[in-house]
Amino acid sequence: MDAVPNKPNYRKAFDLLNTAMEMGNNQAKVLLGMAHLTGEHEPFLLHNTTRAMELFESASQSGLPTAQSALGILYSTGIGANSSQSKAVLYYTFAALGGDSFAQMALGFRYWSGISMAQSCESALKYYTLVADDVARKVGNAGTGQMVLRIRLIEEEEAPQNSPLLDEDLVQYYQFLADKGDLQAQLGLGQLYLQGGRGVERNPKLAQHYFSAAAKAGN
């Protein structure tokens, strides 16, 4: 007899979240607030922006970054509250200091485009770097760090020609990956040897070798 896939039990999930909220769990308040805000789980939990605002404000008093970030969204858009860009920036700033990636991205974009604050590429870079570092750390912890390294090769070979030389160990690592059939590495090395630079001499023969390998793999 084939196994029947488990179906989501939203009613039980929201009952448990309500119990957790009553016990003082602030993350449960944020999750319930998001459900009220989007209304995507009706009829189990009704769309109610006023209730969402109440839950976010309650959770934010504990300093929870996700709650502060949610309030930043509401004040920024005027959903459930009168639009106030100054309050949005305030909540985004607190949330970003607490490590909330969404708030960091929001501030990065605001600094980059000069929305409700003086334009500052330096400040935008600071916040975007925090997000990038967090993503890289999570990818590494998930055991998929090779993905970051494979992308890095493309970035290296697209860098200006007066940039520092490529690390020989890095090139050898990608050669190893390419020989093992890694498509990204094959394409990156093919482009690298086709154009040359960064301490790597042009080598059309090797470029053809890696491009051919990628083509045979279906690229």
Side-chain angles (χ1 to χ4, degrees):
M1 184 175 180
D2 295 335
V4 178
N6 291 327
K7 293 183 178 180
N9 189 332
Y10 293 116
R11 189 178 303 282
K12 183 176 181 180
F14 289 127
D15 285 344
L16 291 172
L17 284 173
N18 274 303
T19 299
M21 179 186 66
E22 291 168 359
M23 295 174 66
N25 187 289
N26 289 302
Q27 189 60 52
K29 294 178 183 179
V30 173
L31 292 173
L32 288 169
M34 285 297 182
H36 278 300
L37 180 63
T38 62
E40 64 179 322
H41 295 302
E42 289 186 319
F44 303 104
L45 206 67
L46 299 180
H47 176 240
N48 188 331
T49 53
T50 301
R51 179 56 176 160
M53 187 75 172
E54 293 172 351
L55 290 169
F56 294 148
E57 286 181 333
S58 176
S60 71
Q61 293 176 7
S62 70
L64 188 65
T66 50
Q68 294 166 338
S69 182
L71 286 173
I73 295 172
L74 296 187
Y75 280 114
S76 175
T77 58
I79 298 174
N82 292 327
S83 178
S84 172
Q85 298 307 313
S86 59
K87 286 186 177 181
V89 170
L90 178 66
Y91 280 114
Y92 279 145
T93 300
F94 281 127
L97 289 172
D100 185 85
S101 293
F102 182 89
Q104 291 166 348
M105 286 191 290
L107 287 175
F109 180 76
R110 283 173 175 262
Y111 273 115
W112 177 73
S113 35
I115 299 176
S116 304
M117 54 183 62
Q119 187 175 23
S120 172
C121 291
E122 183 179 350
S123 295
L125 177 62
K126 179 185 76 172
Y127 284 110
Y128 281 137
T129 299
L130 288 173
V131 177
D133 288 344
D134 183 57
V135 172
R137 182 168 55 254
K138 289 176 179 176
V139 169
N141 290 340
T144 53
Q146 280 190 359
M147 184 182 300
V148 176
L149 292 171
R150 291 171 195 168
I151 295 172
R152 181 183 166 192
L153 178 64
I154 307 298
E155 294 173 345
E156 295 276 11
E157 57 90 2
E158 288 180 351
Q161 294 298 309
N162 60 354
S163 298
L165 302 182
L166 276 176
D167 190 321
E168 183 179 352
D169 289 338
L170 181 62
V171 176
Q172 290 179 352
Y173 173 68
Y174 283 104
Q175 289 173 338
F176 170 77
L177 289 178
D179 292 341
K180 292 292 184 181
D182 187 282
L183 186 59
Q184 292 267 6
Q186 291 166 348
L187 291 172
L189 286 171
Q191 192 70 21
L192 184 64
Y193 284 117
L194 179 66
Q195 296 180 347
R198 306 292 304 280
V200 177
E201 295 184 1
R202 286 188 71 248
N203 191 324
K205 187 176 181 180
L206 277 177
Q208 181 183 14
H209 167 75
Y210 287 115
F211 282 140
S212 296
K216 290 179 181 178
N219 183 275

